[in-house]
Amino acid sequence: MANPGGGTVCNGKLHNHKKQSNGSQRRNCTKNGIVKEAQQNGKPHFYDKLIVESFEEAPLHVVVFTYMAYGIGTLFGYLRDFLRNWGIEKCNAAVERKEQKDFVPLYQDFENFYTRNLYMRIRDNWNRPICSAPGPLFDVMERVSDDYNWTFRFTGRIIKDVINMGSYNFLGLADKYDESMKTIKDVLEVYGTGVASTRHEMGTLDKHKELEDLVAKFLNVEAAMVFGMGFATNSMNIPALVGKGCLILSDELNHTSLVLGARLSGATIRVFKHNNTQSLEKLLRDAVIYGQPRTCRAWKKILILVEGTYSMEGSIVHLPQILALKKKYKAYLYIDEAHSIGAVGPTGRGVTEFFGLDPHEVDVLMGTFTKSFGASGGYIAGRKDLVDYLRVHSHSAVYATSMSPPIAEQIIRSLKFIMGLDGTTQGLQRVQQLAKNTRYFRQRLQEMGFIIYGNENASVVPLLLYMPGKVAAFARHMLQEKKIGVVVVGFPATPLAEARARFCVSASHTREMLDTVLEALDETGDLLRLKYSRHKKSARPELYDETSFELED
Amino acid sequence: MATATEQWVLVEMVQALYEAPAYHLILEGILILWIIRLLFSKTYKLQERSDLTVKEKEELIEEWQPEPLVPPVPKDHPALNYNIVSGPPSHKIVVNGKECINFASFNFLGLLDNPRVKAAALASLKKYGVGTCGPRGFYGTFDVHLDLEDRLAKFMKTEEAIIYSYGFATIASAIPAYSKRGDIVFVDRAACFAIQKGLQASRSDIKLFKHNDMADLERLLKEQEIEDQKNPRKARVTRRFIVVEGLYMNTGTICPLPELIDDIDLISANMENALASIGGFCCGRSFVIDHQRLSGQGYCFSASLPPLLAAAAIEALNIMEENPGIFAVLKEKCRQIHKALQGISGLKVVGESFSPAFHLQLEESTRSREQDVRLLQEIVDQCMNKNIALTQARYLEKEEKCLPPPSIRVVVTVEQTEEELERAASTIKEVAQVVLL
């Protein structure tokens, strides 16, 4: 049976991760005394927030039907392939050139099997083009297919004002132009769009220096360095930090960029179970005690790669425990805060602030500007010697073009906004609004009876759909009937039987928008029978007033 | 009835036992005894892990000291102190407070400063804001991206194009999308770092051939053919690829395309230089390009290109299509400065005469690379003092497979006037004379 990592579940019963010695119900958000672990580590403050995560297991019949659906899809796939091969059915896919027909085939047949026969049926739910800014409402271009999704054609009609639950726009900073963006316009006019050189050569502008200083100030660390692409920040800097003879301990569900960076570095990689500190501890102990395999020499360095928030699961890393392990076993910690910077923590400083820890304790803080800051690019921050080393040895600094000036200005503007340096408290209000929206959304969905994964404070909300047919029906119904844009994800980004819809709550979603979405989800859930949770509570709207969702100070 | 058959079978068995030859019975007996012994003997664990006591383990954990996360970098490392450019990196560039003529940024067509490009980017900024907040698959596809892909495909006269949001990631994601473990890739020695990283990520067999040496490539291909004939089964599933650069960044030379092949499957290019934008694209036949939409890592798992940069690229394409004459102008300027820089004592020009980015290497290198780098840096600094902005070509010395020799890179753009080109050539000549003699 599919066992999503993190939650120990037996027989579908829910087991919440509670960092509390007594078993109090999770509805209590009051301050609950001293946590045992915090005391043991001698921390001067108390981590008194309840970590509430849930990864409920699906009922048996759902899993059976899901596998059956894939099985039937596969059988039909074989049948259609057979028909296409024998020319009985026309083949709509692009084919190899005649001159190259006797070359070794470019693509493995099987690897394309899934794409051709399963993905192709429902691929109108992805790559949907939009034609407005990705704010809380956006305009989707209507596309139809006359040949069952092999080719698409634009009808020319635009579906206006679709509620956006798919873009990573956590603080609502990605919106169409308004007067506060005047500085970006000025920078664009003075500097232009491109840079045409690398950081080492002639590509370091004064804007980059300004940005790096501001990022370091924001994160409360010594120094920072910015790069033009978030994906490349991981894949080009991890090889600069570790090499052969080092050990990387990476979480099971790490992002592709972290995996690629780890592979390119040449270090040995060992994977620990998702967010599971016991698994990590076991690996650390074995690594330190027994050293490298076969030669038994000691490892040069051990680097732990985790993410702040995992976007497919909605879980937040168990940072206090990992920091304790890190200190005990003298390993280095690299946190990828792509989805948690700006979105998590009372003032948006990320997971370190969320847990009330000192950012200096983490060795490498990495993050991206795509999600909460409405721009693009990534950064690495930490001690000055780390950043100096990266300035000299990072692949990106030597070979890749530096960040474009208007993008840098957008990030500067967003940072100032969040930090309150523009003279208003709007930034802080947005961070708090995001937290409120997140908790409201998650709570309502759970009450309706859907299976939601992850931490109650994570703004990325995965809603489990399981069956491939429902995945397609859900996405299409939400767009066409309810005018809500949702993102659905299936295999191979998630395990085969756990296809899900993923909502990204934003601070710019108003209560009305969220209520519209929730109503639509309620109806769709009943229509498609998606309410699998065994902990369904009846919706009592009169309880959901503002006071229940105020944050503790 | 049953017992009768049973008895009958038993009798047969006993009879067979009597009639069997002696050695047969002895052999069977020994085997049975051996099996019984194996069943009851203790199993031995392999002595992989010695039995450490808990106390010893704790001691090991206490004693272990890792290396520091990063080795210290000397404060005066040349790469640590970047040249800071205040203001736009355009034709007249302000480096470290000094105004110079820009011979270092890859602004070939001078489009970084072009008002039309800026206006197009501004229009896009007004409509879409800055970021796209998502990868292409999840509402990160804007109509601007689709437009740009169409225009690029038409411009390059291919069926389809796909854009990436980072130039380096373009080829580094394209190669592992097609070439997997077990495939063979023939690549030129002077291939740039991005190609090397793409090849490393693909885990394929790499066969390097000498730079621009078609005879060497042919030799390698023939060797591969012999290998294939030895093992035809394996040959049927191994794909083979050839990767070359159009204009090599590390040497300034061009690859001999007509000798190489009659039709190209995939062209990958960078929008960060001539197109005054950010990002890169791949173009080719739909059969080939479509695959990257699901398996190009830099495409699927990364946010899409900000729309204002895509709009800037489209406008740059428009300008390029409207005045095809600028290419001839650029070529002429390249030829001019190439000729002017010939005959400098101590420096030799490396690169084709029509290449807009070429290298100046030391004619006689001192034994140590560090010393060479220092000499060249001295030349660069003095040129900077005389208001000519140049830069050395930078490499990661430990990571490159075939490290090119240290050199100064000179970039020609259409914005440079003839007089400026002459001035640059004569400045470099003077400085080289002073430094190298």
Side-chain angles (χ1 to χ4, degrees):
Chain A
M1 184 117 57
N3 184 13
T8 48
V9 214
C10 26
N11 301 329
K13 237 169 39 136
L14 183 57
H15 176 91
N16 282 338
H17 281 246
K18 292 200 262 275
K19 299 298 169 227
Q20 188 79 20
S21 31
N22 56 337
S24 58
Q25 275 311 312
R26 61 186 166 94
R27 190 73 49 190
N28 265 336
C29 295
T30 53
K31 289 194 174 52
N32 294 311
I34 302 166
V35 179
K36 250 207 223 157
E37 286 182 53
Q39 267 214 311
Q40 275 171 357
N41 295 332
K43 284 202 177 54
H45 57 274
F46 306 123
Y47 179 64
D48 49 18
K49 268 203 194 105
L50 217 51
I51 297 184
V52 177
E53 288 185 336
S54 68
F55 297 95
E56 191 182 334
E57 230 177 61
L60 180 59
H61 69 274
V62 173
V63 183
V64 167
F65 281 134
T66 310
Y67 282 119
M68 261 174 60
Y70 279 108
I72 296 176
T74 315
L75 282 176
F76 267 93
Y78 282 128
L79 176 66
R80 301 287 283 272
D81 269 352
F82 175 75
L83 292 177
R84 274 191 276 260
N85 233 346
W86 287 92
I88 304 175
E89 186 183 326
K90 193 165 73 103
C91 184
N92 283 326
V95 282
E96 186 55 281
R97 274 194 327 166
K98 271 206 271 295
E99 297 90 342
Q100 293 176 332
K101 266 237 175 333
D102 55 349
F103 282 21
V104 177
L106 189 54
Y107 311 121
Q108 289 279 46
D109 225 12
F110 184 72
E111 140 195 328
N112 263 26
F113 177 86
Y114 179 81
T115 314
R116 215 175 25 246
N117 295 309
L118 292 162
Y119 172 73
M120 199 54 85
R121 287 170 186 272
I122 54 176
R123 80 171 178 140
D124 57 314
N125 299 313
W126 289 280
N127 294 305
R128 287 186 178 153
I130 73 178
C131 53
S132 73
L137 294 172
F138 61 174
D139 302 332
V140 179
M141 292 166 73
E142 200 187 25
R143 307 187 279 187
V144 291
S145 174
D146 304 314
D147 49 4
Y148 299 103
N149 287 349
W150 285 98
T151 56
F152 290 107
R153 158 177 76 84
F154 292 107
T155 60
R157 210 169 72 91
I158 299 178
I159 310 178
K160 280 198 170 294
D161 291 336
V162 178
I163 299 182
N164 184 358
M165 296 302 290
S167 297
Y168 292 114
N169 187 10
F170 295 135
L171 295 177
L173 289 170
D175 216 337
K176 65 179 185 296
Y177 188 81
D178 62 34
E179 265 321 296
S180 62
M181 288 167 121
K182 187 165 181 308
T183 48
I184 306 179
K185 175 165 169 288
D186 294 335
V187 165
L188 178 57
E189 277 164 4
V190 171
Y191 285 83
T193 49
V195 186
S197 192
T198 66
R199 289 299 290 268
H200 274 214
E201 295 178 7
M202 205 53 82
T204 305
L205 308 175
D206 46 1
K207 272 275 160 245
H208 295 139
K209 192 153 182 342
E210 195 188 327
L211 175 58
E212 287 175 357
D213 290 337
L214 200 56
V215 170
K217 195 160 152 208
F218 177 72
L219 295 170
N220 199 8
V221 288
E222 285 176 25
M225 182 170 181
V226 299
F227 304 94
M229 185 198 201
F231 185 98
T233 309
N234 279 330
S235 65
M236 296 207 226
N237 289 306
I238 298 181
L241 291 174
V242 289
K244 254 180 142 61
C246 304
L247 176 66
I248 293 184
L249 296 172
S250 138
D251 189 293
E252 209 175 17
L253 298 177
N254 267 341
H255 191 255
T256 313
S257 57
L258 288 166
V259 173
L260 183 62
R263 276 210 294 124
L264 286 177
S265 67
T268 312
I269 308 176
R270 295 206 181 136
V271 172
F272 62 92
K273 296 209 188 62
H274 177 60
N275 238 353
N276 188 331
T277 25
Q278 285 89 346
S279 172
L280 176 59
E281 178 156 23
K282 182 170 185 314
L283 285 179
L284 275 170
R285 280 186 84 81
D286 284 347
V288 175
I289 294 173
Y290 299 114
Q292 300 189 26
R294 294 196 301 136
T295 57
C296 288
R297 267 187 230 154
W299 294 104
K300 286 198 212 155
K301 302 179 236 200
I302 300 183
L303 186 66
I304 306 175
L305 289 181
V306 287
E307 289 189 39
T309 307
Y310 292 88
S311 61
M312 284 299 155
E313 301 287 309
S315 48
I316 297 187
V317 66
H318 296 157
L319 195 56
Q321 292 91 323
I322 295 188
L323 275 182
L325 281 180
K326 174 192 114 74
K327 286 208 189 85
K328 180 170 175 196
Y329 295 97
K330 302 187 205 102
Y332 299 111
L333 183 58
Y334 183 112
I335 299 191
D336 176 348
E337 294 208 72
H339 301 267
S340 54
I341 190 72
V344 160
T347 60
R349 302 306 209 258
V351 279
T352 47
E353 201 195 20
F354 180 72
F355 288 105
L357 300 165
D358 184 6
H360 291 104
E361 296 191 18
V362 180
D363 299 289
V364 189
L365 284 162
M366 178 266 169
T368 62
F369 298 117
T370 332
K371 299 168 176 111
S372 305
F373 301 94
S376 78
Y379 67 86
I380 289 199
R383 301 216 329 255
K384 188 159 188 321
D385 53 356
L386 167 75
V387 176
D388 280 345
Y389 181 81
L390 285 178
R391 285 194 207 282
V392 177
H393 290 96
S394 162
H395 302 181
S396 164
V398 188
Y399 294 106
T401 313
S402 35
M403 193 187 264
S404 163
I407 311 276
E409 182 57 33
Q410 159 74 350
I411 304 171
I412 292 176
R413 174 190 155 251
S414 307
L415 282 172
K416 287 191 178 152
F417 182 74
I418 299 177
M419 294 206 285
L421 292 177
D422 58 343
T424 67
T425 53
Q426 279 186 20
L428 193 56
Q429 283 171 8
R430 290 228 187 169
V431 176
Q432 287 170 344
Q433 182 66 34
L434 174 66
K436 261 191 256 185
N437 283 357
T438 305
R439 287 165 84 125
Y440 175 65
F441 196 70
R442 274 181 175 267
Q443 210 127 28
R444 284 289 305 273
L445 280 178
Q446 230 145 14
E447 254 116 40
M448 283 185 202
F450 292 102
I451 296 185
I452 312 282
Y453 274 5
N455 192 307
E456 64 170 3
N457 293 299
S459 326
V460 182
V461 186
L463 189 153
L464 273 285
L465 299 170
Y466 298 106
M467 300 184 206
K470 293 196 187 182
V471 162
F474 183 79
R476 286 175 192 155
H477 186 81
M478 290 297 270
L479 181 62
Q480 284 157 8
E481 306 297 323
K482 310 279 183 200
K483 295 226 308 189
I484 298 174
V486 299
V487 157
V488 289
V489 210
F491 183 79
T494 63
L496 186 65
E498 291 178 23
R500 58 200 73 175
R502 203 181 59 167
F503 300 102
C504 295
V505 184
S506 161
S508 51
H509 283 136
T510 58
R511 185 53 73 91
E512 292 80 38
M513 283 185 212
L514 287 181
D515 283 333
T516 319
V517 175
L518 286 164
E519 247 180 71
L521 283 175
D522 207 2
E523 285 173 30
T524 316
D526 287 326
L527 177 68
L528 295 175
R529 293 189 205 264
L530 293 171
K531 298 186 178 176
Y532 300 121
S533 177
R534 266 161 284 213
H535 303 268
K536 181 175 173 160
K537 295 194 174 43
S538 56
R540 292 197 292 273
E542 61 266 21
L543 282 187
Y544 305 124
D545 55 329
E546 277 294 312
T547 50
S548 321
F549 300 101
E550 284 303 312
L551 285 184
E552 304 294 340
D553 283 321
Chain B
M1 276 302 279
T3 28
T5 25
E6 263 177 32
Q7 267 182 349
W8 182 62
V9 171
L10 206 60
V11 162
E12 287 258 326
M13 273 172 61
V14 172
Q15 251 187 339
L17 210 61
Y18 278 138
E19 286 175 16
Y23 70 88
H24 193 111
L25 289 174
I26 295 173
L27 190 62
E28 302 254 358
I30 292 177
L31 282 174
I32 291 175
L33 285 172
W34 189 259
I35 291 174
I36 294 175
R37 176 169 176 256
L38 279 178
L39 279 174
F40 286 111
S41 69
K42 252 198 308 198
T43 45
Y44 286 96
K45 262 200 302 207
L46 290 169
Q47 286 292 345
E48 222 183 72
R49 300 186 167 192
S50 48
D51 301 27
L52 296 171
T53 64
V54 178
K55 184 161 165 299
E56 281 173 344
K57 288 186 187 173
E58 294 299 327
E59 268 177 24
L60 279 172
I61 293 174
E62 281 289 317
E63 284 170 3
W64 182 64
Q65 278 299 334
E67 275 180 15
L69 182 57
V70 287
V73 172
K75 287 244 179 311
D76 57 352
H77 196 290
L80 197 52
N81 307 310
Y82 295 155
N83 294 321
I84 308 260
V85 174
S86 349
S90 51
H91 177 57
K92 294 240 167 27
I93 188 174
V94 180
V95 186
N96 297 334
K98 219 185 319 254
E99 184 173 312
C100 307
I101 304 180
N102 192 350
F103 279 87
S105 304
F106 293 110
N107 187 11
F108 300 132
L109 301 176
L111 291 173
L112 276 182
D113 246 347
N114 190 304
R116 274 175 62 179
V117 169
K118 288 187 190 173
L122 189 57
S124 174
L125 171 68
K126 292 218 158 107
K127 183 171 175 200
Y128 297 105
V130 180
T132 56
C133 296
R136 289 290 291 259
F138 302 155
Y139 301 113
T141 306
F142 285 42
D143 45 357
V144 207
H145 296 135
L146 299 174
D147 270 339
L148 179 57
E149 287 182 354
D150 262 336
R151 290 295 304 279
L152 284 168
K154 280 204 198 67
F155 185 78
M156 302 291 289
K157 301 197 182 52
T158 57
E159 279 177 19
E160 203 176 324
I162 178 175
I163 46 180
Y164 284 82
S165 53
Y166 205 50
F168 189 101
T170 310
I171 192 67
S173 304
I175 296 180
Y178 300 102
S179 184
K180 312 276 181 199
R181 201 195 286 266
D183 295 334
I184 305 178
V185 184
F186 298 95
V187 70
D188 193 300
R189 261 181 200 278
C192 70
F193 194 70
I195 297 181
Q196 290 173 30
K197 283 294 140 186
L199 292 170
Q200 191 185 352
S202 72
R203 298 195 259 213
S204 319
D205 290 327
I206 320 267
K207 303 230 190 298
L208 298 163
F209 61 89
K210 290 205 206 68
H211 178 54
N212 271 350
D213 187 346
M214 291 299 112
D216 201 31
L217 175 58
E218 216 177 322
R219 173 185 65 90
L220 281 175
L221 287 169
K222 284 209 171 74
E223 275 174 20
Q224 184 58 34
E225 214 180 324
I226 300 176
E227 276 285 327
D228 287 344
Q229 279 162 0
K230 274 194 229 155
N231 195 344
R233 227 194 204 178
K234 185 164 167 230
R236 239 177 298 143
V237 293
T238 321
R239 292 177 279 254
R240 292 163 211 101
F241 299 93
I242 299 181
V243 178
V244 286
E245 274 183 64
L247 186 63
Y248 286 91
M249 190 163 106
N250 292 345
T251 62
T253 46
I254 205 168
C255 81
L257 203 57
E259 290 172 38
L260 197 52
I261 203 150
D262 51 0
D263 195 10
I264 309 177
D265 292 298
L266 183 111
I267 304 179
S268 155
N270 197 327
M271 300 195 287
E272 293 167 353
N273 303 328
L275 281 174
S277 180
I278 301 277
F281 67 93
C282 283
C283 54
R285 284 171 293 127
S286 292
F287 175 71
V288 176
I289 298 295
D290 221 24
H291 181 69
Q292 280 183 50
R293 294 203 192 269
L294 281 177
S295 51
Q297 288 192 334
Y299 180 82
C300 300
F301 296 105
S302 176
S304 46
L305 187 66
L308 66 98
L309 296 172
I314 295 180
E315 194 58 32
L317 273 180
N318 284 343
I319 295 177
M320 276 172 32
E321 283 178 348
E322 284 165 22
N323 353 352
I326 42 174
F327 300 113
V329 172
L330 182 62
K331 217 163 161 180
E332 200 37 58
K333 292 196 199 245
C334 298
R335 247 190 270 272
Q336 186 192 344
I337 195 167
H338 204 95
K339 215 164 77 170
L341 284 173
Q342 300 287 353
I344 304 185
S345 51
L347 288 178
K348 62 177 177 201
V349 179
V350 174
E352 306 277 343
S353 65
F354 53 81
S355 157
F358 56 89
H359 296 252
L360 288 169
Q361 287 175 11
L362 289 171
E363 254 176 21
E364 288 175 28
S365 102
T366 65
R367 281 315 130 74
S368 95
R369 194 189 165 92
E370 247 188 73
Q371 180 74 331
D372 285 349
V373 168
R374 232 176 310 193
L375 277 175
L376 289 170
Q377 189 60 36
E378 190 51 47
I379 299 180
V380 166
D381 289 336
Q382 289 207 15
C383 284
M384 204 88 84
N385 283 341
K386 296 191 197 262
N387 305 94
I388 302 283
L390 288 173
T391 177
Q392 276 196 63
R394 300 278 186 189
Y395 306 104
L396 273 176
E397 281 149 27
K398 299 203 184 68
E399 310 270 339
E400 286 262 3
K401 263 206 198 107
C402 311
L403 186 58
S407 61
I408 300 178
R409 188 185 289 125
V410 181
V411 177
V412 184
T413 75
V414 282
E415 287 186 320
Q416 293 154 356
T417 63
E418 288 185 12
E419 179 215 24
E420 282 167 349
L421 288 170
E422 288 298 329
R423 212 182 95 198
S426 55
T427 315
I428 298 176
K429 267 201 184 106
E430 279 172 37
V431 170
Q433 286 228 328
V434 170
V435 172
L436 294 175
L437 286 171

